[in-house]
Amino acid sequence: MIERYTLPEMGNLWTETYKLKTWLQVEIAVCEAQAELGYIPTEAVEEIKAKANFDPKRVLEIEAEVRHDMIAFLTNVNEYVGDAGRYIHLGLTSSDVLDTALALQLVASSNVLLERLEDLIQAIRYQAQQHRNTVMIGRSHGIHAEPITFGFKLAGWLAEVLRHRDRLVNVRQRVAVGKISGAVGTYANIEPRVEAIACQKLGLEPDTASTQVISRDIHAEFVQALALLGASIERFAVEIRNLQKTDVLEVEEYFAKGQKGSSAMPHKRNPIRSERLTGMARILRGNAVAALENVALWHERDISHSSVERMILPDSCTLTHFMLVETTDLVKNLLVYPENMARNMNVYGGVVFSQRVMLTLVEKGMKREEAYAIVQSCAHQAWNKPEGNFRELISSDPRVTERLSNEEIEECFDPQRHLKHLDQIYQRLSI
């Protein structure tokens, strides 16, 4: 991931140094397991633990010659360890270390993402609490529908991110698997007990049935979970972009002092953060497709997945982390304009209360088809006219006034009728 979108908290987990550190963790855990079972001397393991180290630059130098990153790493480690290094990597294949170490990186990344997701949950919940009763128009097909509150809209966001938290918890458990099973996964040169002990030391579960690699459906599920989270963030971002349009202007991204919106037009205040998030979600979806392509490997293993994962796994984790931090700050500092919400809701004389008028007429004995025709006619006369006033047209139609009193008509235009059950939703989400 480019530096522009890399924050240290996640970026540090995907450096070359951190990766090699996890490789060494796995190698040492296997040595400890071998010693516990009496296969290698305990003194040798203590010497390995005391001396083992690596130099990322030196590893690259060796790799340039041998064209194999794991061999380069082991060669460099043995330069530090000396004779005891002969016990390192006994009975293992490269993927034992690569895949098990990758699991450590994915678990660590998941933990960070869950922390930042919790921040987003709290930010959305707070704003929803603040705007429980901030009335606005609900829209379907982009067209005014019926009244809602901004808190209710945010409640939908909150329910969505809570589902993402559950998914991420589950997928963190799913990726927390290691394999120390040898060249094609048959334990021909290493015991399953070594795998069990080493994985326990690393906080992982042994893979149920590995080949030379851990099956890539696990990694595909992980990337898909991040892509789905990104899709929800995109949904929120698109909503903000739509509500920030000049002719809507119900919410607006915070515009900092000294910020500029356009090199040409000084008046511009653009939803650049929401637009950025929208674009980033596209990258996550693309990575999810690549992760799915990685599932179909030849026989017990090939390395067609390797080059892909070197890019999509760090990039997906880093990008998702950036998106969560960005979205949290965006929600926390979102500017909300209740006056504009009220103005937009009442445009054309409250046409959005048409259903309530129709249902009230039906309750008073009018046939539904007749009530619909009367209300639709009045609404369309008011629609898209500067002087259009649905409420006046309804109040002056004799077919309406012969059935409804002024007070009953007045009640039809009370937005609170539409909000009377929202508390049940708020209670479900602790808003």
Side-chain angles (χ1 to χ4, degrees), residues 396-428:
S396 61
D397 191 308
R399 295 169 297 179
V400 174
T401 55
E402 71 180 11
R403 292 180 182 270
L404 303 181
S405 66
N406 289 335
E407 291 76 15
E408 288 170 326
I409 293 175
E410 182 79 18
E411 288 178 7
C412 291
F413 290 83
D414 180 4
Q416 295 305 315
R417 293 182 64 105
H418 296 263
L419 316 177
K420 60 186 178 181
H421 297 302
L422 293 188
D423 279 347
Q424 294 185 38
I425 296 171
Y426 296 149
Q427 287 170 12
R428 295 171 192 163

Side-chain angles (χ1 to χ4, degrees), residues 69 309 340 352 403 409:
D69 56 357
E309 288 174 359
N340 292 351
V352 297
R403 292 180 182 270
I409 293 175

Side-chain angles (χ1 to χ4, degrees), residues 129-192:
Q129 289 168 339
Q130 298 303 111
H131 294 284
R132 285 169 57 102
N133 302 312
T134 302
V135 182
M136 66 182 296
I137 189 61
R139 296 170 171 90
S140 58
H141 304 277
I143 309 300
H144 286 198
E146 291 190 336
I148 60 172
T149 70
F150 190 53
F152 171 70
K153 185 184 291 289
L154 292 171
W157 296 12
L158 179 58
E160 203 160 328
V161 294
L162 289 172
R163 289 192 292 274
H164 285 299
R165 183 175 64 184
D166 292 342
R167 292 186 187 105
L168 193 50
V169 167
N170 289 335
V171 80
R172 177 182 60 181
Q173 181 180 359
R174 199 99 68 199
V175 298
V177 294
K179 62 94 54 185
I180 310 294
S181 55
V184 289
T186 60
Y187 303 99
N189 298 296
I190 196 160
E191 277 200 41

Side-chain angles (χ1 to χ4, degrees), residues 26 31 82 156 165 195 201 223 231 242 245 258 266 286 306 324 328 340:
V26 174
C31 287
R165 183 175 64 184
E195 179 183 65
K201 290 178 180 292
V223 180
N242 274 312
K245 290 177 181 177
S306 176
L324 285 170
T328 299
N340 292 351

Side-chain angles (χ1 to χ4, degrees), residues 63-290:
E63 185 181 354
E65 178 184 351
V66 302
R67 304 294 180 91
H68 194 293
D69 56 357
M70 182 56 62
I71 292 174
F73 169 73
L74 293 169
T75 301
N76 181 226
V77 170
N78 276 283
E79 289 175 341
Y80 287 92
V81 174
D83 185 60
R86 61 198 177 94
Y87 295 111
I88 298 174
H89 207 72
L90 280 181
L92 303 187
T93 188
S94 297
S95 292
D96 288 326
V97 180
L98 294 174
D99 281 6
T100 305
L102 179 59
L104 297 177
Q105 283 185 289
L106 293 176
V107 169
S109 297
S110 298
N111 290 338
V112 171
L113 292 176
L114 281 165
E115 290 176 7
R116 299 292 76 79
L117 186 57
E118 195 62 40
D119 292 341
L120 178 58
I121 287 168
Q122 296 309 318
I124 295 173
R125 176 174 280 120
Y126 175 79
Q127 286 286 27
Q129 289 168 339
Q130 298 303 111
H131 294 284
R132 285 169 57 102
N133 302 312
T134 302
V135 182
M136 66 182 296
I137 189 61
R139 296 170 171 90
S140 58
H141 304 277
I143 309 300
H144 286 198
E146 291 190 336
I148 60 172
T149 70
F150 190 53
F152 171 70
K153 185 184 291 289
L154 292 171
W157 296 12
L158 179 58
E160 203 160 328
V161 294
L162 289 172
R163 289 192 292 274
H164 285 299
R165 183 175 64 184
D166 292 342
R167 292 186 187 105
L168 193 50
V169 167
N170 289 335
V171 80
R172 177 182 60 181
Q173 181 180 359
R174 199 99 68 199
V175 298
V177 294
K179 62 94 54 185
I180 310 294
S181 55
V184 289
T186 60
Y187 303 99
N189 298 296
I190 196 160
E191 277 200 41
R193 289 188 298 168
V194 173
E195 179 183 65
I197 294 170
C199 284
Q200 183 180 37
K201 290 178 180 292
L202 295 167
L204 305 174
E205 290 291 328
D207 191 17
T208 306
S210 60
T211 61
Q212 191 162 336
V213 296
I214 292 172
S215 296
R216 260 42 203 176
D217 65 291
I218 292 174
H219 305 80
E221 182 182 10
F222 178 81
V223 180
Q224 284 181 298
L226 301 191
L228 188 55
L229 172 55
S232 289
I233 290 176
E234 181 183 14
R235 183 172 90 84
F236 309 156
V238 168
E239 183 70 17
I240 291 170
R241 290 167 59 192
N242 274 312
L243 295 179
Q244 188 168 330
K245 290 177 181 177
T246 305
D247 46 352
V248 178
L249 202 54
E250 294 178 355
V251 305
E252 189 176 27
E253 290 185 8
Y254 177 74
F255 200 81
K257 183 179 181 181
Q259 184 175 341
K260 303 292 190 295
S262 166
S263 63
M265 298 166 283
H267 71 278
K268 294 296 290 297
R269 291 162 64 108
N270 302 324
I272 57 171
R273 303 179 82 180
S274 298
E275 291 171 340
R276 181 186 301 133
L277 291 165
T278 300
M280 289 175 167
R282 297 168 185 167
I283 303 297
L284 291 179
R285 285 196 292 277
N287 287 352
V289 172

Side-chain angles (χ1 to χ4, degrees), residues 358-424:
M358 179 188 70
L359 292 177
T360 304
L361 288 171
V362 172
E363 289 166 4
K364 293 294 182 176
M366 186 178 288
K367 291 182 178 179
R368 190 182 189 282
E369 292 78 5
E370 182 183 358
Y372 190 106
I374 293 170
V375 173
Q376 184 185 51
S377 175
C378 291
H380 287 185
Q381 288 179 60
W383 190 260
N384 199 29
K385 296 180 178 64
E387 72 286 354
N389 194 316
F390 172 70
R391 188 168 183 167
E392 286 186 0
L393 291 168
I394 284 293
S395 299
S396 61
D397 191 308
R399 295 169 297 179
V400 174
T401 55
E402 71 180 11
R403 292 180 182 270
L404 303 181
S405 66
N406 289 335
E407 291 76 15
E408 288 170 326
I409 293 175
E410 182 79 18
E411 288 178 7
C412 291
F413 290 83
D414 180 4
Q416 295 305 315
R417 293 182 64 105
H418 296 263
L419 316 177
K420 60 186 178 181
H421 297 302
L422 293 188
D423 279 347
Q424 294 185 38

